[in-house]
Amino acid sequence: MSSSLSWWSCLALLHIRGNRTSHVSQQSDREGGEEPLAQTNGPVIHTDESFSAAAWLRWGDVDGDYSVIEQKGTHQSPFRLGSDPQRGLVFTFTSADTAEAAVEGVRSDVKPPVNEWFHLAGVYDAETKTVSLYLNGTLIKSEPISFKSWDANSKSTLGSIMRGDLDDVRVYQTPLTAEQLGNIMKPQSFDIGARAQTKSRVSAAQNVGQFKYDHMSLEQCESERDKRIGTSNSWDSGGGWDWLVPYAGCWSRHQQFAIYKEIKEYDKSCGCYKRKAEDIEEWLNFDTTVVMHSYLGNGNGTGITGGTGRNSRDIKVWTRVDNFKTQDTGFWGLLLGAGGTDPEDLKNTLKLKIEVKGGTTPCSVIESTVGNARDTRTGSMRMWLDRSDDDFIVRSQASKVSHCTIMPWVIYNNPTTPGHGDQQVAAAWGDANRVPENKLRETAPRVRCDSIGMGGAVNYYIGGCVFNGASRVYTMNTFNLSNGAVARHIQKALTNPQDTVPFKADGPKHIPGNWNASRSSPEGKPLERIYTNTNAYKNNVDAKDKVCEEFFDDRPRKKTGEIDKSRWEHCDEYPFASTRQGGGFDHPEYGKNNFSVYALTGSQNTSAGTDLNIFYGRYRVLNGNQFWVAIK
């Protein structure tokens, strides 16, 4: 018997980390099950977290020793979904990646159906350490395991050890319910386009899996700072380390306040106590770290993707001010209250303030660890030594697109010279060594929030906040079984544009959007999204269709007599029609025809379009927003 998978289930195994169903399919003529039917180029799930795996199967051997899907370590696979000659259908787990690992789970003693299609599903709940096995949507057995599953960071293989037919393989990073398993058995449920017909089914599917925010902790931010600019004993080097992605930012630096000799002369010309460099007698050294997280809304507008208790228009801010040092132990003693310093003055020594600006619509700190003050913490050095960390929640109060600028400041009031205006202020972002003080506010973290439903025909994501200035990159893989043909076309357009159509007679093609090209080159310039109801979009589609009819008019389709819809081909274009730089764009310097068209299988083109819309939704790519494309 030959082992095979049918073409129509080929939808996106390589994109399993996300809020979508994943499927895979591949044709195979092998005999005997000596090689896997299909293999990914990397891991598709975290096997130490809750997950579900399911597939349609047709076997001819009731006593087969089969594995449907595996993600192996060095010695073992964390789990096995398949069949055992003695114990029938199984869903088992190993305790570790060692040859002597214990094996626990469901050994059902239920023989598989033979010579007919059946649906097999395994569900692992990491929280309760429970393993469940389902046959045709009905629970066969649930068993607890005594250990926590481990994560295999490796390729996934389908039909690893198997003779027979395998179809519609799905893996979810969540424990599905019996009702959800029943839904995924229905053929219409694995057509993403069909989800628009039944919103209830979409709501269940879009909560499956976890969106990768790339959120960073305070400790991770500090560690990355020290890797790049040295340890906390190098305050005199100044500077710091910043990191920004669409849903997270980190700012960490070694900072100093100059401690001046007591100044008693007031300068009327400036209304201040003037200081000179030669008046510096001490330095107060410290570290400041700020981490901010923003969030992506879920599909029903009630919360966020991959979490609870947050609003999609919230920005969580964590701060840490610590590692205080002075050169002179006597001065340090004064800061701690020695030498008769007034206790009331000591209470105001150091202040952390989260200043928030919201433009025409309000942004405000709605919650924090500092009590009634909410956005400001003031305390003595002893108080800061006792507790260095705080956190704040900033919320955009608008209902439409708006911006929040968040500026954390550290303020020092010299308790040894009260009443002399001896106050100093340091920004906890940017780099004072590179940014002039009068321009520092312009570099403050700025977050754009919206409440728009995005992601395709159905709103997979409603609302979210992203950091201005963070690059958004749409990544595709040439080996993706779902839309790798589109990725390969784009790769050719980016690397060998002269070999693509339409031909360009007035000079070389310059096709933009390449994340891997120099930003100063035409190819490294970003793409800019446009909406489908614009004239520019219509012009892009018209330009693509014209090239398609000129060069690919004989492609398989109804017009050319092809009956099998699975063989129909669509014309794919890059840059995308949903970008300003699409086929209809006339570049002021490079002219027209800086795009590529290629005919490929319609299902691949449809899958890539779905993925692009999901990317737009996940990363809040609105009209006029820029992004790049990376091909792996």
PDB file of all heavy atoms in Angstrom, residues 475-492:
ATOM      1  N   THR A 475       7.489  37.758   7.356  1.00  0.00           N
ATOM      2  CA  THR A 475       8.445  36.694   7.055  1.00  0.00           C
ATOM      3  C   THR A 475       7.744  35.525   6.372  1.00  0.00           C
ATOM      4  O   THR A 475       6.705  35.048   6.835  1.00  0.00           O
ATOM      5  CB  THR A 475       9.124  36.209   8.344  1.00  0.00           C
ATOM      6  OG1 THR A 475       9.785  37.324   8.965  1.00  0.00           O
ATOM      7  CG2 THR A 475      10.157  35.142   8.044  1.00  0.00           C
ATOM      8  N   MET A 476       8.334  35.065   5.269  1.00  0.00           N
ATOM      9  CA  MET A 476       7.826  33.906   4.541  1.00  0.00           C
ATOM     10  C   MET A 476       8.944  32.882   4.387  1.00  0.00           C
ATOM     11  O   MET A 476      10.126  33.225   4.440  1.00  0.00           O
ATOM     12  CB  MET A 476       7.293  34.310   3.168  1.00  0.00           C
ATOM     13  CG  MET A 476       6.185  35.341   3.201  1.00  0.00           C
ATOM     14  SD  MET A 476       5.503  35.658   1.548  1.00  0.00           S
ATOM     15  CE  MET A 476       4.587  34.138   1.253  1.00  0.00           C
ATOM     16  N   ASN A 477       8.545  31.630   4.191  1.00  0.00           N
ATOM     17  CA  ASN A 477       9.514  30.549   4.085  1.00  0.00           C
ATOM     18  C   ASN A 477       9.328  29.805   2.767  1.00  0.00           C
ATOM     19  O   ASN A 477       8.219  29.376   2.446  1.00  0.00           O
ATOM     20  CB  ASN A 477       9.344  29.575   5.260  1.00  0.00           C
ATOM     21  CG  ASN A 477      10.531  28.651   5.421  1.00  0.00           C
ATOM     22  OD1 ASN A 477      10.930  27.980   4.487  1.00  0.00           O
ATOM     23  ND2 ASN A 477      11.080  28.620   6.623  1.00  0.00           N
ATOM     24  N   THR A 478      10.408  29.639   2.009  1.00  0.00           N
ATOM     25  CA  THR A 478      10.312  28.985   0.704  1.00  0.00           C
ATOM     26  C   THR A 478       9.966  27.515   0.807  1.00  0.00           C
ATOM     27  O   THR A 478       9.552  26.908  -0.183  1.00  0.00           O
ATOM     28  CB  THR A 478      11.634  29.140  -0.071  1.00  0.00           C
ATOM     29  OG1 THR A 478      12.705  28.586   0.712  1.00  0.00           O
ATOM     30  CG2 THR A 478      11.932  30.600  -0.357  1.00  0.00           C
ATOM     31  N   PHE A 479      10.156  26.909   1.994  1.00  0.00           N
ATOM     32  CA  PHE A 479       9.837  25.501   2.184  1.00  0.00           C
ATOM     33  C   PHE A 479       8.455  25.288   2.780  1.00  0.00           C
ATOM     34  O   PHE A 479       8.068  24.151   3.064  1.00  0.00           O
ATOM     35  CB  PHE A 479      10.888  24.833   3.072  1.00  0.00           C
ATOM     36  CG  PHE A 479      12.236  24.732   2.435  1.00  0.00           C
ATOM     37  CD1 PHE A 479      13.258  25.589   2.803  1.00  0.00           C
ATOM     38  CD2 PHE A 479      12.493  23.793   1.456  1.00  0.00           C
ATOM     39  CE1 PHE A 479      14.506  25.514   2.217  1.00  0.00           C
ATOM     40  CE2 PHE A 479      13.739  23.706   0.861  1.00  0.00           C
ATOM     41  CZ  PHE A 479      14.749  24.559   1.237  1.00  0.00           C
ATOM     42  N   ASN A 480       7.723  26.364   2.980  1.00  0.00           N
ATOM     43  CA  ASN A 480       6.393  26.247   3.554  1.00  0.00           C
ATOM     44  C   ASN A 480       5.496  25.469   2.599  1.00  0.00           C
ATOM     45  O   ASN A 480       5.356  25.821   1.425  1.00  0.00           O
ATOM     46  CB  ASN A 480       5.822  27.651   3.788  1.00  0.00           C
ATOM     47  CG  ASN A 480       4.561  27.624   4.613  1.00  0.00           C
ATOM     48  OD1 ASN A 480       3.689  26.798   4.403  1.00  0.00           O
ATOM     49  ND2 ASN A 480       4.467  28.544   5.552  1.00  0.00           N
ATOM     50  N   LEU A 481       4.880  24.394   3.086  1.00  0.00           N
ATOM     51  CA  LEU A 481       4.027  23.574   2.240  1.00  0.00           C
ATOM     52  C   LEU A 481       2.755  24.295   1.837  1.00  0.00           C
ATOM     53  O   LEU A 481       2.109  23.938   0.864  1.00  0.00           O
ATOM     54  CB  LEU A 481       3.677  22.275   2.967  1.00  0.00           C
ATOM     55  CG  LEU A 481       4.867  21.387   3.335  1.00  0.00           C
ATOM     56  CD1 LEU A 481       4.385  20.202   4.142  1.00  0.00           C
ATOM     57  CD2 LEU A 481       5.609  20.934   2.095  1.00  0.00           C
ATOM     58  N   SER A 482       2.398  25.335   2.591  1.00  0.00           N
ATOM     59  CA  SER A 482       1.176  26.063   2.323  1.00  0.00           C
ATOM     60  C   SER A 482       1.349  27.112   1.229  1.00  0.00           C
ATOM     61  O   SER A 482       0.541  27.195   0.313  1.00  0.00           O
ATOM     62  CB  SER A 482       0.696  26.737   3.609  1.00  0.00           C
ATOM     63  OG  SER A 482      -0.312  27.663   3.330  1.00  0.00           O
ATOM     64  N   ASN A 483       2.381  27.934   1.334  1.00  0.00           N
ATOM     65  CA  ASN A 483       2.544  29.031   0.381  1.00  0.00           C
ATOM     66  C   ASN A 483       4.007  29.263  -0.005  1.00  0.00           C
ATOM     67  O   ASN A 483       4.400  30.375  -0.339  1.00  0.00           O
ATOM     68  CB  ASN A 483       1.933  30.324   0.931  1.00  0.00           C
ATOM     69  CG  ASN A 483       2.367  30.609   2.356  1.00  0.00           C
ATOM     70  OD1 ASN A 483       3.543  30.498   2.690  1.00  0.00           O
ATOM     71  ND2 ASN A 483       1.410  30.973   3.201  1.00  0.00           N
ATOM     72  N   GLY A 484       4.799  28.204   0.023  1.00  0.00           N
ATOM     73  CA  GLY A 484       6.202  28.324  -0.342  1.00  0.00           C
ATOM     74  C   GLY A 484       6.418  28.770  -1.773  1.00  0.00           C
ATOM     75  O   GLY A 484       7.421  29.422  -2.089  1.00  0.00           O
ATOM     76  N   ALA A 485       5.472  28.442  -2.678  1.00  0.00           N
ATOM     77  CA  ALA A 485       5.614  28.876  -4.069  1.00  0.00           C
ATOM     78  C   ALA A 485       5.570  30.394  -4.170  1.00  0.00           C
ATOM     79  O   ALA A 485       6.294  30.991  -4.978  1.00  0.00           O
ATOM     80  CB  ALA A 485       4.512  28.248  -4.926  1.00  0.00           C
ATOM     81  N   VAL A 486       4.732  31.014  -3.358  1.00  0.00           N
ATOM     82  CA  VAL A 486       4.666  32.478  -3.339  1.00  0.00           C
ATOM     83  C   VAL A 486       5.966  33.051  -2.783  1.00  0.00           C
ATOM     84  O   VAL A 486       6.510  34.028  -3.306  1.00  0.00           O
ATOM     85  CB  VAL A 486       3.461  32.954  -2.509  1.00  0.00           C
ATOM     86  CG1 VAL A 486       3.451  34.473  -2.384  1.00  0.00           C
ATOM     87  CG2 VAL A 486       2.171  32.465  -3.138  1.00  0.00           C
ATOM     88  N   ALA A 487       6.487  32.433  -1.713  1.00  0.00           N
ATOM     89  CA  ALA A 487       7.755  32.892  -1.137  1.00  0.00           C
ATOM     90  C   ALA A 487       8.884  32.789  -2.157  1.00  0.00           C
ATOM     91  O   ALA A 487       9.737  33.684  -2.253  1.00  0.00           O
ATOM     92  CB  ALA A 487       8.086  32.080   0.114  1.00  0.00           C
ATOM     93  N   ARG A 488       8.887  31.704  -2.927  1.00  0.00           N
ATOM     94  CA  ARG A 488       9.943  31.541  -3.933  1.00  0.00           C
ATOM     95  C   ARG A 488       9.817  32.576  -5.043  1.00  0.00           C
ATOM     96  O   ARG A 488      10.826  33.069  -5.568  1.00  0.00           O
ATOM     97  CB  ARG A 488       9.911  30.116  -4.487  1.00  0.00           C
ATOM     98  CG  ARG A 488      10.340  29.059  -3.470  1.00  0.00           C
ATOM     99  CD  ARG A 488      10.524  27.694  -4.095  1.00  0.00           C
ATOM    100  NE  ARG A 488       9.263  27.085  -4.521  1.00  0.00           N
ATOM    101  CZ  ARG A 488       8.474  26.373  -3.741  1.00  0.00           C
ATOM    102  NH1 ARG A 488       8.786  26.193  -2.457  1.00  0.00           N
ATOM    103  NH2 ARG A 488       7.365  25.833  -4.214  1.00  0.00           N
ATOM    104  N   HIS A 489       8.585  32.916  -5.406  1.00  0.00           N
ATOM    105  CA  HIS A 489       8.386  33.971  -6.410  1.00  0.00           C
ATOM    106  C   HIS A 489       8.909  35.308  -5.888  1.00  0.00           C
ATOM    107  O   HIS A 489       9.625  36.030  -6.600  1.00  0.00           O
ATOM    108  CB  HIS A 489       6.894  34.090  -6.763  1.00  0.00           C
ATOM    109  CG  HIS A 489       6.573  35.332  -7.539  1.00  0.00           C
ATOM    110  ND1 HIS A 489       5.445  36.086  -7.303  1.00  0.00           N
ATOM    111  CD2 HIS A 489       7.260  35.989  -8.521  1.00  0.00           C
ATOM    112  CE1 HIS A 489       5.430  37.125  -8.112  1.00  0.00           C
ATOM    113  NE2 HIS A 489       6.516  37.093  -8.860  1.00  0.00           N
ATOM    114  N   ILE A 490       8.567  35.636  -4.640  1.00  0.00           N
ATOM    115  CA  ILE A 490       9.029  36.909  -4.077  1.00  0.00           C
ATOM    116  C   ILE A 490      10.545  36.922  -3.945  1.00  0.00           C
ATOM    117  O   ILE A 490      11.206  37.932  -4.205  1.00  0.00           O
ATOM    118  CB  ILE A 490       8.348  37.159  -2.717  1.00  0.00           C
ATOM    119  CG1 ILE A 490       6.840  37.334  -2.911  1.00  0.00           C
ATOM    120  CG2 ILE A 490       8.942  38.393  -2.031  1.00  0.00           C
ATOM    121  CD1 ILE A 490       6.057  37.479  -1.628  1.00  0.00           C
ATOM    122  N   GLN A 491      11.110  35.797  -3.552  1.00  0.00           N
ATOM    123  CA  GLN A 491      12.570  35.710  -3.456  1.00  0.00           C
ATOM    124  C   GLN A 491      13.230  36.013  -4.802  1.00  0.00           C
ATOM    125  O   GLN A 491      14.228  36.744  -4.882  1.00  0.00           O
ATOM    126  CB  GLN A 491      12.974  34.330  -2.962  1.00  0.00           C
ATOM    127  CG  GLN A 491      14.473  34.162  -2.734  1.00  0.00           C
ATOM    128  CD  GLN A 491      14.800  32.761  -2.246  1.00  0.00           C
ATOM    129  OE1 GLN A 491      14.433  31.768  -2.875  1.00  0.00           O
ATOM    130  NE2 GLN A 491      15.465  32.675  -1.102  1.00  0.00           N
ATOM    131  N   LYS A 492      12.688  35.464  -5.861  1.00  0.00           N
ATOM    132  CA  LYS A 492      13.240  35.728  -7.191  1.00  0.00           C
ATOM    133  C   LYS A 492      13.066  37.194  -7.566  1.00  0.00           C
ATOM    134  O   LYS A 492      13.983  37.819  -8.139  1.00  0.00           O
ATOM    135  CB  LYS A 492      12.552  34.831  -8.228  1.00  0.00           C
ATOM    136  CG  LYS A 492      13.129  34.974  -9.632  1.00  0.00           C
ATOM    137  CD  LYS A 492      12.470  33.989 -10.590  1.00  0.00           C
ATOM    138  CE  LYS A 492      13.087  34.110 -11.977  1.00  0.00           C
ATOM    139  NZ  LYS A 492      12.457  33.154 -12.933  1.00  0.00           N
TER     140      LYS A 492
END
